[in-house]
Amino acid sequence: MRVYDKSVIKVNASAENGKVVLDAEGAMAPIAKPIIKRINKIFQEEKPISVDDDKIIFSTWVPPIPGEVFDRVISAEVGSILRKRIPDQLSIGITAHCPNNCIHCGASDIIADPELSFEEINHTIDQSLDLGAYLISFDGGETMLRNDLVDMVARVDKTRAIATCFTSGFGLTEQRAQDLKAAGLYAARISIDSPFEKEHDRVRGRDGAYRDAINGIKNARAADILADMFVVVSPDNIDDLEDFYNLAVEMDMQEMSIYEIIAVGRWLDHEDEVINQKDVSRLEKFQKGKNTNPDGPRVTAFPYFMGPDQFGCFAGRRWIHVTSAGDVLPCAYTPLSFGNIREDNLGDVWKRMGKHIAYKSSADYCMMRNPEFRNKYIHTIPDDAQLPYRLDLIDR
């Protein structure tokens, strides 16, 4: 099937043995060949969520293939070859409020008074779409605490981006899930910190958090919203990967996404309690092993996916985050601001970020796990500074 059709390049997709294969033709095909080859390598190593005669859903992180939004994915990839900076993903904090008290919360330092209004959030999203974003992620706090979340999702231009949201499951009722589906929510990312109820509740700092997560998953699935189990992996739970996956299978989820615990927020002083390169290799093996099996949810392990063998660190290069107070960060886990959308145009902040010495070149892996980056930019933040800290006050 034709998945991208422009005068200078056309991209076709076919399914072979349950795997997606892309090929390109046209004047720019030779230029696009490296990225097509890289995408095909990923497709061959991994399984899509679903494939039928007219649509491929590869991941909850990727728009359906083909479609207007997937066209923007190809445009962004071609742009990357031409060294054009495009924020593929905008994640935006819509509230700092949350019923949980997670021990690893990266947003615990966010003071949003007032938090972004409905109009400010919509305007920020529109600006990100103009920059080329094709994935909009509503983030918190707990997103379900915003009564206007459904309206926010409905407001996202679905010809330009898919809309997803993070949630602990709290407040993701049957009715809310149905309303979000009707508004066009593509996927819900439900956070699970342990496949065991007692431990999950301990990490979340609240009894009943596990039950909320399970009910949220059930309600998302009943509403036909793609359900992604979002696991923050740490030295404490990395041995539970199989149990996490078995739970995702039991709950009929489409994906299990694995992120790494970051020494930020409440975990700021725990730099020795993060994953290492051996753990990343373990996650790579886990992802590839599960994705060679046609049954069960697909696995996306970001410490591997955003490593030197794949795409490198996305922060400030392919990802931009806006807090619920309006500060613009390279990612949701880096407490360094380049401006505030209440004062600056998002495009101007994105350009400013790209010119900074810390972000104008590529990075092989998560910069917040890089000791040199932390020593230069995180350890030098004054103790009495309000977070996130303006990075352009440090140097350029």
Side-chain angles (χ1 to χ4, degrees):
M1 68 181 74
R2 180 65 50 83
V3 298
Y4 187 75
D5 195 344
K6 301 296 180 182
S7 60
V8 294
I9 184 171
K10 304 178 190 303
V11 179
N12 304 307
S14 58
E16 299 177 6
N17 300 318
K19 303 291 186 179
V20 181
V21 178
L22 299 182
D23 66 85
E25 57 186 90
M28 282 193 65
I31 297 175
K33 186 177 179 180
I35 192 64
I36 295 294
K37 182 178 180 180
R38 182 167 64 174
I39 293 174
N40 278 336
K41 182 176 184 294
I42 294 171
F43 282 169
Q44 288 305 302
E45 291 179 347
E46 304 181 15
K47 63 185 175 189
I49 288 175
S50 64
V51 178
D52 58 35
D53 290 339
D54 57 4
K55 183 171 65 175
I56 300 166
I57 296 180
F58 182 72
S59 167
T60 60
W61 299 90
V62 178
I65 310 169
E68 293 174 288
V69 186
F70 187 72
D71 285 356
R72 291 166 65 84
V73 177
I74 298 296
S75 294
E77 293 299 333
V78 172
S80 70
I81 297 173
L82 303 176
R83 299 189 179 279
K84 182 179 180 181
R85 296 180 67 256
I86 296 174
D88 299 4
Q89 175 186 187
L90 167 78
S91 55
I92 184 164
I94 60 174
T95 182
H97 298 293
C98 185
N100 302 307
N101 189 30
C102 302
I103 62 176
H104 56 56
C105 180
S108 60
D109 295 317
I110 302 300
I111 299 174
D113 186 22
E115 64 187 16
L116 294 177
S117 68
F118 179 75
E119 290 75 16
E120 288 172 326
I121 291 168
N122 292 337
H123 184 52
T124 302
I125 290 172
D126 288 343
Q127 290 180 76
S128 76
L129 297 181
D130 290 342
L131 292 172
Y134 55 78
L135 170 59
I136 304 301
S137 300
F138 293 101
D139 203 351
E142 173 50 64
T143 55
M144 298 300 149
L145 292 178
R146 281 288 297 239
N147 294 328
D148 50 1
L149 172 60
V150 171
D151 295 327
M152 292 179 200
V153 172
R155 178 65 174 67
V156 175
D157 184 348
K158 308 305 188 305
T159 67
R160 303 173 79 190
I162 54 173
T164 69
C165 75
F166 290 90
T167 177
S168 68
F170 180 90
L172 184 52
T173 63
E174 184 177 354
Q175 185 62 54
R176 176 61 71 88
Q178 292 172 358
D179 291 344
L180 286 168
K181 175 64 177 180
L185 187 72
Y186 184 66
R189 309 198 190 284
I190 299 97
S191 298
I192 300 288
D193 288 314
S194 172
F196 310 113
E197 181 172 3
K198 185 176 180 180
E199 176 62 9
H200 177 87
D201 286 358
R202 182 191 72 80
V203 175
R204 290 270 145 177
R206 181 175 65 87
D207 291 342
Y210 183 84
R211 292 193 298 274
D212 285 339
I214 296 301
N215 288 334
I217 294 169
K218 290 178 179 177
N219 293 333
R221 293 300 301 117
D224 199 28
I225 295 171
L226 295 178
D228 175 31
M229 178 183 289
F230 193 80
V231 176
V232 175
V233 73
S234 72
D236 292 334
N237 64 8
I238 196 168
D239 290 335
D240 299 329
L241 289 174
E242 288 292 342
D243 292 298
F244 277 114
Y245 192 79
N246 290 338
L247 177 60
V249 171
E250 179 185 339
M251 301 302 298
D252 191 31
M253 304 183 78
Q254 281 84 10
E255 190 155 19
M256 174 179 166
S257 293
I258 303 171
Y259 209 81
E260 60 187 285
I261 196 164
I262 303 291
V264 68
R266 294 196 183 109
W267 209 250
L268 182 62
D269 297 326
H270 295 260
E271 290 187 32
D272 328 347
E273 301 175 64
V274 296
I275 65 173
N276 55 36
Q277 188 53 46
K278 183 179 179 180
D279 296 323
V280 175
S281 298
R282 182 176 176 182
L283 294 175
E284 175 188 355
K285 184 178 179 180
F286 179 77
Q287 172 179 315
K288 290 181 176 180
K290 295 304 180 187
N291 288 343
T292 56
N293 186 339
D295 298 322
R298 63 165 278 108
V299 171
T300 300
F302 281 100
Y304 161 63
F305 192 73
M306 295 194 295
D309 295 331
Q310 294 289 334
F311 291 91
C313 183
F314 282 9
R317 298 165 183 86
R318 309 187 71 143
W319 179 9
I320 191 169
H321 179 75
V322 177
T323 73
S324 54
D327 288 298
V328 184
L329 319 182
C331 79
Y333 304 97
T334 306
L336 302 169
S337 173
F338 282 86
N340 191 290
I341 57 98
R342 286 172 167 152
E343 304 165 359
D344 300 299
N345 179 277
L346 187 64
D348 293 337
V349 182
W350 180 244
K351 289 178 182 178
R352 185 183 306 151
M353 191 180 296
K355 292 178 180 178
H356 195 281
I357 189 172
Y359 292 97
K360 65 181 181 181
S361 58
S362 61
D364 283 345
Y365 62 97
C366 175
M367 295 174 70
M368 286 294 285
R369 199 171 6 111
N370 184 326
E372 291 182 8
F373 177 85
R374 294 188 69 91
N375 286 336
K376 185 171 184 179
Y377 297 109
I378 305 302
H379 295 166
T380 54
I381 296 176
D383 292 338
D384 59 350
Q386 181 175 334
L387 295 179
Y389 190 63
R390 279 293 294 265
L391 183 57
D392 53 343
L393 297 180
I394 299 176
D395 70 15
R396 293 186 185 277

